[in-house]
Amino acid sequence: MSNPLVDIHTHVYLPRYAEVLRSRATVPRILTREDGEERLVILDNEPSGGRPVGPQYWAREEKLRFMDLHGIDISVVSTANPWLDFFDAAEAHTIAKQLNDDMEEYCASSPAYANGPLKRIYGMGILPLVPGISTEALLECIQQIAAAPHLHGLIMGTRGVGKGLDDDALEPVWKAIADAGLVVFLHPHYGVDSSAWGEKDNGHVLPLALGFPFETTTAITRLILAGVYDRVPDLRILLAHSGGTLPQLSSRLASCIDHDPVVAARLQHDARFYLGKLFFDAVAYGPEELGFVSEVAGSERMMFGTDHPFFPPLSSTEKWKSVVENLEAIDTVTGWDKAEKDGVRGGNALKIFGIL
């Protein structure tokens, strides 16, 4: 096989989920403006009035058109935020199972890659992680995802079943995910307390550029500090947006743990050991950032992503900056040889997601 370009951070709002969001009167929702344009509003008081919604959010043909325009051979698609925690437990369980079936069909009906056995599109399922959900319901969905031929992981937010990823109630969930060989794609949604952004109007820059990465950083650090990786060493978690700020703060974290006897006695390893257990997308937009993550965790644990369908260009024929800049970053990282660049561009993803 040649060296395919594989996108592991690419989203889809399946038609069933889009209809659910259209039916809602409160955030999160898809609303129709007076000019007839649909907008996705996922948080209260969004400065832009929401994101323009169109077929690129759900149509497989649009996903393939985007892939062809940018030379992307294979995509591993996932549902995008908001997650299912605005449902009650029973509703979330039902919609999660339906969306997992929909995602399998979405992928199974995609064309073959290079006339071979692989598909152009694979996917990730979703769990009904909401307060009050039973462990049995979560394990049922994990088994459903694991049994789907074209689903190789699952996406989740940072709140778990309401108390975060260090919640003891998630212990059987982590073990079941690891035993099934699934990858967890940890993706932010809520950011941090909006009061931190002050009173000046800075649009969506601070919540997206800082809030999302800080949310991921805090969530995965809590999981590490809880000792989850000591008890479930085979758990594979992929962090969105190159791990937020965790790689840059890993040595500071290690020092703080060493000087805190409560946490130091709880963990079997230095904090930097656990970073070597994590995986990172390469959605960082700069070679310096990618190089730093590589120094901390290793390039073999990093994978290309685009964050499609967000941040589209103004022209339908123009290439997306998220693709161009992230590929340029991979190509210009100081010290990476061709094999490392090929790995980040696609080889690592095929291996980590078990698509080969």
Side-chain angles (χ1 to χ4, degrees), residues 124-125 127 129 142 152-157 165 173-174 176-178 181-187 220 223 229 234-240 278-280 303 352-353:
M124 302 185 216
L127 299 181
L129 290 168
I142 292 169
H152 291 258
L154 58 95
I155 191 167
M156 69 165 62
L165 303 186
V173 175
W174 299 129
I177 291 170
L182 296 171
V183 175
V184 175
F185 185 21
L186 183 62
H187 194 291
I220 192 62
L223 180 143
Y229 266 106
D234 295 330
L235 181 63
R236 293 184 294 166
I237 297 181
L238 164 65
L239 301 182
L278 299 168
F279 299 91
F280 303 82
M303 294 166 274
I352 291 164
F353 278 93

Side-chain angles (χ1 to χ4, degrees), residues 19-51:
E19 285 302 316
V20 167
L21 293 172
R22 287 190 184 99
S23 70
R24 292 178 52 79
T26 58
V27 171
R29 61 185 298 211
I30 292 177
L31 57 83
T32 302
R33 302 196 313 183
E34 290 184 1
D35 62 4
E37 182 181 54
E38 286 192 318
R39 290 268 180 164
L40 172 66
V41 183
I42 60 175
L43 296 173
D44 289 321
N45 304 314
E46 286 198 38
S48 63
R51 304 173 182 184

Side-chain angles (χ1 to χ4, degrees), residues 222-298:
R222 286 175 57 182
L223 180 143
I224 290 170
L225 295 182
V228 171
Y229 266 106
D230 291 331
R231 296 186 295 275
V232 191
D234 295 330
L235 181 63
R236 293 184 294 166
I237 297 181
L238 164 65
L239 301 182
H241 314 121
S242 297
T245 61
L246 183 58
Q248 289 77 11
L249 296 175
S250 57
S251 293
R252 180 177 176 84
L253 176 63
S255 177
C256 289
I257 291 172
D258 287 344
H259 289 86
D260 190 314
V262 173
V263 181
R266 186 189 303 153
L267 300 179
Q268 298 176 8
H269 302 279
D270 179 277
R272 287 158 293 202
F273 168 87
Y274 301 104
L275 263 76
K277 304 285 288 183
L278 299 168
F279 299 91
F280 303 82
D281 73 17
V283 184
Y285 298 93
E288 296 84 4
E289 290 85 350
L290 295 184
F292 192 93
V293 177
S294 176
E295 288 292 326
V296 173

Side-chain angles (χ1 to χ4, degrees), residues 174-236:
W174 299 129
K175 186 177 186 306
I177 291 170
D179 289 346
L182 296 171
V183 175
V184 175
F185 185 21
L186 183 62
H187 194 291
H189 171 77
Y190 297 98
V192 299
D193 187 342
S194 60
S195 65
W197 309 136
E199 296 181 359
K200 288 189 179 296
D201 182 5
N202 291 305
H204 61 238
V205 172
L206 289 170
L208 290 183
L210 302 184
F212 270 23
F214 289 170
E215 178 188 350
T216 301
T217 301
T218 302
I220 192 62
T221 301
R222 286 175 57 182
L223 180 143
I224 290 170
L225 295 182
V228 171
Y229 266 106
D230 291 331
R231 296 186 295 275
V232 191
D234 295 330
L235 181 63
R236 293 184 294 166

Side-chain angles (χ1 to χ4, degrees), residues 1 6-8 74-76 117-123 149-152 346 348-356:
M1 181 188 298
V6 182
D7 181 359
I8 55 81
I74 295 172
S75 288
V76 185
L118 300 185
K119 291 284 189 178
R120 294 287 309 275
I121 299 177
Y122 292 88
H150 299 93
L151 304 186
H152 291 258
N348 297 344
L350 296 178
K351 179 180 179 181
I352 291 164
F353 278 93
I355 294 173
L356 287 174

Side-chain angles (χ1 to χ4, degrees), residues 80-111:
N81 54 314
W83 315 120
L84 305 181
D85 51 3
F86 54 88
F87 290 107
D88 65 31
E91 291 173 323
H93 188 201
T94 297
I95 191 67
K97 291 190 295 182
Q98 292 172 337
L99 290 175
N100 290 335
D101 285 339
D102 292 348
M103 183 67 82
E104 169 61 20
E105 191 282 328
Y106 179 94
C107 300
S109 300
S110 74

